[in-house]
Amino acid sequence: MFILQNISKTYAKAHTKAVSNLTLTINKGEIFGFLGPNGAGKTTTIKLLTGILFPDEGSITVDGFSLKEEPIKAKKTISFVPDTPETFSKLKASEYINFIADVYGIPTDIRQQRIKEYADMFGISDVLSAPIASFSHGMKQKLFLTASLVTDPDNWILDEPMVGLDPESAFKLKELMRKRASEGKTVFFSTHVMEVAEKLCDRIGIIKKGQIVFCGTQEELKAAYGGEGKSLEQIFLELTAQSGE
């Protein structure tokens, strides 16, 4: 569970806030979709959620732990899959997964079981001994998904996770997201694919120019902005075009 209260962040060379006075709660047991046009503040918000960046103002708690006051305890509840899986390219895939497992203190027997389960699921078991540098984007994405799941996170953050995945792997990922939410865990993901968000999310948040312009269920969105006849994509385009223009 994430609670963001009055979060603001300005980059040193920018004249405007990348995120401005943002307040948001992401609950346990839900899939939360984070939507917004390019440059809206999605990536900045995700970096704040994961502790990669620190807010200029406001506070963030993760399962009751302050990211500022208790960063290690907070981060141990999180696994993050970035939109550009380009780190640690000199390592072998198995070395990277075990490195992540070591950081989180996952016992050997448990990690081996999970590595087998998820590497088999995403079809990378036969390349675990290969260097990451030899992987395609899609293979790196599968590796990062596998490594993130070895920690069995209570809070799973995914930034554009479907990009580069083949249809079978994308389907399996969506099934995993549903399963984890049904187990009471938090799944937070950003996407530009409205059809995925429409079918998968329990609630959505829409950000425009660093500010949340909507947060709630799709039923609440349609009731407020367009009725049952409009798709999420239509309402999203209208809402992001109207807000702040």
Side-chain angles (χ1 to χ4, degrees):
M1 179 179 184
F2 298 94
I3 300 176
L4 296 82
Q5 294 183 312
N6 306 118
I7 294 298
S8 294
K9 179 66 181 178
T10 302
Y11 293 106
K13 296 182 180 181
H15 299 292
T16 58
K17 293 181 178 180
V19 173
S20 179
N21 198 35
L22 187 150
T23 294
L24 192 63
T25 297
I26 301 107
N27 300 309
K28 287 183 177 295
E30 75 174 355
I31 300 176
F32 187 92
F34 198 45
L35 314 177
N38 291 337
K42 296 192 303 299
T43 297
T44 297
T45 302
I46 290 172
K47 288 181 177 180
L48 292 167
L49 274 178
T50 54
I52 296 171
L53 294 176
F54 295 100
D56 302 325
E57 303 170 10
S59 64
I60 303 173
T61 59
V62 187
D63 288 354
F65 299 115
S66 166
L67 261 177
K68 180 179 180 181
E69 304 296 334
E70 299 178 284
I72 300 301
K73 290 181 179 179
K75 290 178 183 180
K76 278 194 171 183
T77 73
I78 299 170
S79 270
F80 173 44
V81 180
D83 62 337
T84 53
E86 299 297 337
T87 56
F88 302 104
S89 59
K90 293 183 180 180
L91 293 180
K92 294 179 181 178
S94 59
E95 291 173 335
Y96 172 71
I97 297 174
N98 278 290
F99 167 70
I100 296 298
D102 286 341
V103 170
Y104 282 81
I106 307 300
T108 301
D109 56 337
I110 295 176
R111 76 173 66 177
Q112 288 177 344
Q113 177 185 347
R114 292 175 183 169
I115 290 170
K116 176 173 173 49
E117 177 183 357
Y118 295 116
D120 286 349
M121 181 180 296
F122 289 113
I124 61 171
S125 295
D126 59 344
V127 295
L128 291 180
S129 61
I132 298 174
S134 67
F135 284 19
S136 66
H137 179 90
M139 292 296 287
K140 290 177 183 177
Q141 190 76 350
K142 294 176 184 180
L143 172 63
F144 273 53
L145 287 166
T146 298
S148 73
L149 288 162
V150 166
T151 71
D152 189 26
D154 288 330
N155 301 289
W156 198 22
I157 301 176
L158 308 107
D159 191 2
E160 296 287 349
M162 309 296 173
V163 175
L165 292 183
D166 55 83
E168 182 180 2
S169 295
F171 177 81
K172 290 177 179 178
L173 174 57
K174 287 182 281 189
E175 290 296 298
L176 275 173
M177 293 166 75
R178 291 190 185 97
K179 181 176 183 293
R180 298 190 71 80
S182 70
E183 294 170 347
K185 302 179 187 297
T186 301
V187 179
F188 176 102
F189 81 106
S190 71
T191 183
H192 285 297
V193 184
M194 295 297 122
E195 292 85 354
V196 171
E198 193 162 24
K199 293 178 180 178
L200 199 59
C201 296
D202 299 303
R203 290 193 306 138
I204 60 171
I206 299 175
I207 188 170
K208 170 73 173 182
K209 293 186 176 179
Q211 297 181 319
I212 297 294
V213 295
F214 175 81
C215 181
T217 66
Q218 294 183 58
E219 290 75 16
E220 291 169 340
L221 178 67
K222 291 178 179 180
Y225 294 103
E228 292 299 320
K230 290 186 178 180
S231 67
L232 172 60
E233 182 176 32
Q234 289 174 310
I235 299 174
F236 169 81
L237 292 173
E238 293 173 1
L239 185 57
T240 53
Q242 291 167 0
S243 58
E245 296 297 333

